[in-house]
Amino acid sequence: MTTEATTRMNRSALLAAKAEGQSEPLEEITIGRDVLELVSSAMYIDPMTIYREYVQNSADAIDDARNSGVLPANEAGKVSITIDPATRTIRIRDNGAGLSNADFSRKMAALGASGKRGTTARGFRGVGRLAGLGYAQELVFRSKTLSDASVAELTWDCRRLKSALRETDGDIQSLIRSVAMLKKKPAGDYPERFFEVELRGVVRLRSDKLMNPAAVEEYLGQVAPVPFAPEFSFATEIRNALAPVVALGELEIRIEGIDRPVFRPHRDVLTLVGHPSIQFRQLSVSTISSIDGELAAVVWVLHHNYEGALPNAAGVKGLRLRAGNVQIGDNNLLEELFPEMRFNAWAVGEIHVVDRKIVPNGRRDHFEQNAHFHNLTNQLSPIAREIAHLCRTSSIKRNWLREIELQKNVVEEVVDVLSQGAIGEAERARHEGRAEDSFSRIQKALQQKVFVAEDIAQQSADIVSLRERLEALRDVVHAPKDALASLELAERKSFERFCDLIYQCSPSTAAAKTLVDKILAKLSQ
């Protein structure tokens, strides 16, 4: 290339750079105080999530305490929840290692600067502790470790915060200093190590679920890392499948006023008001691989009769996602994987995510949409399709069972009519023909692939019994002697003809039989 050509190229590049504009450093970056609202009250729309966030932090603290030896192996990780409707106060306390007085101020006043990122902890964004700011007048944190002589306490004035957020002046640091107060308190009757959060002047919402111990128990039983109930027979098998790869971190959560600790809602049989009982008969466990070929998730599904959608009150419906044994999102998160979304409400199961590249989003109502999450859902689709197949098969089977029961009722009806002995031979033949037609329909139904050998054997036994009862009536050609004993043969034939007409002209066989029974009863008097 000649010197002249090189010069022309450099001149063209310079002109192009000027046309695009020159790069310049940013002189000033402003982080406004509205960020505090965005990562606290604006992020947590469902008020019940404050319990999830604080219990999740307790689970991480208890895991750390156990790993460091502060919490003995024989001591349960405990969380106590006290709800005082009179003062509208909620207190959540754990027996983890606690935060030292030296670290308390720095860590509790930090915003989005969690030291958990990159670890196996459940939380890592450093904003979950602010979840209560939008739901109380004051938010108080307290803690001490074994080596501290005093309790560190940080109090957020939530009313002052809301007022300050309406102002336009000031940076976020000065805002926090104006609404948060730090102090040290005598240890007094506090535990030797603990961390607690207290919400004072809890906002009264429409349903006031935050102050309802039963509602809190129901919510935490679904979302928190708590154990299955002792009476749930599949608990050991599920736990054995999860424990080697999932940090279960099962907590003993006790809500003041409720006798038992919080357990998962699963039971062998769910009995709900206004709904048929649901019995779980089988457990299936499978695994899903990550893009790299490592373990991405463990899946367990409980199978039942799939007779319809489970009610919300059961607390178990839907395939649910969990990370660190904490539920992410709600029971509808994976409904789009099903050929028909309604079948998700028929399913009971969980997907425990192990792959750290599958990350819950900031609100923890879903996962970040990346290739690793899409790989997970792609492999979950066959499981959803199989459940949908079971739902459809169950529905088809129920339809055929209804048909079988209908036809058995027809045969029962014929047996009852023939037992009267009040109809003529032609009418008897018509009814016997109805019975034979019903037997044929039952046999056709039992040939469907939805029935297993046990179903067929049970139905066949019923058919044999009905057939024997019908055959026993073949020779009954007149009414019982006690009813028509006074009638001559010609009168009896007339009576049979009369009864034939009743059966032929009545709107239903049942109605005709009722009328004939009344006539026979009168004649026998």
Side-chain angles (χ1 to χ4, degrees):
M1 182 179 294
T2 64
T3 302
E4 183 178 355
T6 302
T7 301
R8 284 199 303 271
M9 182 177 293
N10 291 338
R11 187 182 299 116
S12 297
L14 182 61
L15 291 172
K18 288 182 177 180
E20 293 178 0
Q22 296 291 331
S23 298
E24 298 181 8
L26 292 171
E27 296 296 335
E28 182 179 356
I29 298 176
T30 301
I31 301 177
R33 55 179 60 197
D34 288 334
V35 169
L36 183 58
E37 182 181 20
L38 291 173
V39 299
S40 57
S41 57
M43 178 176 289
Y44 300 102
I45 299 172
D46 180 2
M48 296 299 281
T49 56
I50 68 173
Y51 285 104
R52 182 197 66 199
E53 292 300 314
Y54 293 134
V55 168
Q56 173 185 279
N57 286 340
S58 292
D60 285 340
I62 288 169
D63 281 352
D64 290 344
R66 199 178 298 283
N67 293 336
S68 63
V70 174
L71 184 67
N74 61 350
E75 183 178 350
K78 297 180 180 180
V79 176
S80 63
I81 299 177
T82 303
I83 301 172
D84 186 351
T87 60
R88 299 200 63 78
T89 300
I90 298 169
R91 190 189 70 217
I92 303 170
R93 176 186 290 177
D94 66 60
N95 66 339
L99 280 177
S100 68
N101 286 187
D103 293 335
F104 186 82
S105 174
R106 175 177 56 83
K107 291 188 175 182
M108 296 310 297
L111 184 63
S114 174
K116 297 180 182 180
R117 185 175 287 275
T119 70
T120 58
R122 296 163 183 81
F124 57 87
R125 289 184 172 87
V127 296
R129 66 179 178 278
L130 304 178
L133 287 176
Y135 298 103
Q137 294 179 4
E138 287 185 328
L139 181 63
V140 185
F141 299 101
R142 301 186 190 94
S143 190
K144 76 177 290 292
T145 63
L146 290 171
S147 59
D148 290 323
S150 59
V151 173
E153 179 181 275
L154 181 68
T155 302
W156 288 76
D157 187 335
C158 304
R159 289 174 295 184
R160 169 68 185 128
L161 174 61
K162 291 175 183 177
S163 175
L165 286 172
R166 291 193 292 267
E167 301 171 3
T168 57
D169 297 333
D171 55 61
I172 193 168
Q173 291 86 353
S174 62
L175 171 62
I176 293 175
R177 291 190 182 98
S178 70
V179 300
M181 180 177 66
L182 176 70
K183 64 180 179 181
K184 302 290 176 59
K185 301 175 61 174
D189 295 332
Y190 286 102
E192 59 182 9
R193 69 173 198 279
F194 76 100
F195 184 93
E196 75 177 21
V197 55
E198 182 177 333
L199 290 87
R200 297 173 178 167
V202 175
V203 175
R204 187 184 299 274
L205 301 171
R206 184 168 49 193
S207 58
D208 211 21
K209 289 195 298 183
L210 285 176
M211 304 300 296
N212 185 335
V216 174
E217 179 189 28
E218 179 184 348
Y219 175 78
L220 289 177
Q222 295 182 52
V223 306
V226 294
F228 290 105
E231 58 267 30
F232 180 52
S233 62
F234 294 99
T236 300
E237 190 175 350
I238 293 174
R239 199 179 192 286
N240 289 343
L242 297 176
V245 293
V246 176
L248 293 175
E250 293 175 334
L251 302 174
E252 181 184 310
I253 301 178
R254 289 191 175 271
I255 302 172
E256 188 174 25
I258 297 178
D259 294 336
R260 295 215 315 174
V262 178
F263 289 117
R264 304 294 302 282
H266 306 80
R267 302 291 188 273
D268 290 351
V269 179
L270 297 178
T271 305
L272 303 160
V273 177
H275 194 280
S277 62
I278 302 161
Q279 182 174 1
F280 295 108
R281 304 178 182 279
Q282 182 184 355
L283 171 73
S284 62
V285 179
S286 57
T287 58
I288 290 178
S289 299
S290 69
I291 292 176
D292 305 323
E294 302 294 329
L295 180 65
V298 178
V299 183
W300 64 261
V301 177
L302 281 175
H303 298 292
H304 51 103
N305 287 339
Y306 294 102
E307 294 181 348
L310 280 72
N312 290 328
V316 299
K317 79 172 183 180
L319 284 185
R320 305 184 182 211
L321 283 161
R322 295 176 81 87
N325 202 19
V326 174
Q327 183 172 300
I328 307 299
D330 59 19
N331 61 288
N332 295 323
L333 203 61
L334 296 176
E335 65 180 8
E336 292 185 356
L337 298 182
F338 289 79
E340 296 179 51
M341 290 192 295
R342 65 189 178 98
F343 287 140
N344 178 61
W346 300 39
V348 177
E350 292 180 344
I351 299 92
H352 287 254
V353 175
V354 178
D355 187 353
R356 299 294 294 178
K357 299 183 184 69
I358 303 175
V359 185
N361 64 18
R363 193 175 283 176
R364 302 186 75 84
D365 60 0
H366 214 305
F367 284 84
E368 293 181 359
Q369 302 299 297
N370 58 26
H372 302 280
F373 178 73
H374 294 314
N375 171 69
L376 172 69
T377 55
N378 286 341
Q379 295 187 65
L380 285 174
S381 292
I383 295 175
R385 287 197 297 271
E386 175 59 26
I387 293 173
H389 172 70
L390 293 173
C391 294
R392 290 196 188 98
T393 300
S394 176
S395 180
I396 293 170
K397 181 177 179 179
R398 286 196 306 277
N399 289 337
W400 281 113
L401 283 173
R402 281 194 288 269
E403 171 67 10
I404 289 172
E405 289 303 314
L406 175 63
Q407 299 307 323
K408 285 161 67 174
N409 288 339
V410 170
V411 178
E412 289 276 6
E413 197 174 61
V414 169
V415 168
D416 290 341
V417 170
L418 298 185
S419 297
Q420 288 178 322
I423 55 176
E425 293 184 10
E427 189 65 14
R428 285 176 58 84
R430 186 175 73 83
H431 283 282
E432 289 175 357
R434 289 177 62 218
E436 291 301 328
D437 180 65
S438 291
F439 281 131
S440 297
R441 290 173 181 268
I442 292 172
Q443 291 297 338
K444 178 182 178 182
L446 289 177
Q447 293 173 6
Q448 304 303 312
K449 294 181 180 180
V450 294
F451 292 109
V452 297
E454 183 181 352
D455 298 323
I456 296 172
Q458 181 179 350
Q459 294 295 338
S460 297
D462 291 345
I463 294 170
V464 170
S465 176
L466 280 173
R467 175 70 74 179
E468 290 175 348
R469 291 171 58 194
L470 185 65
E471 291 295 334
L473 295 169
R474 294 287 187 187
D475 297 328
V476 180
V477 295
H478 53 76
K481 292 181 180 180
D482 59 334
L484 301 178
S486 61
L487 297 182
E488 298 292 337
L489 180 60
E491 292 176 320
R492 186 177 296 118
K493 290 295 183 182
S494 297
F495 180 75
E496 289 177 355
R497 178 58 180 158
F498 173 70
C499 290
D500 290 349
L501 290 173
I502 291 176
Y503 276 106
Q504 293 168 14
C505 298
S506 293
S508 68
T509 301
K513 180 183 178 297
T514 300
L515 180 57
V516 172
D517 280 339
K518 290 180 179 180
I519 294 173
L520 290 172
K522 286 289 186 181
L523 289 173
S524 64
Q525 291 178 355

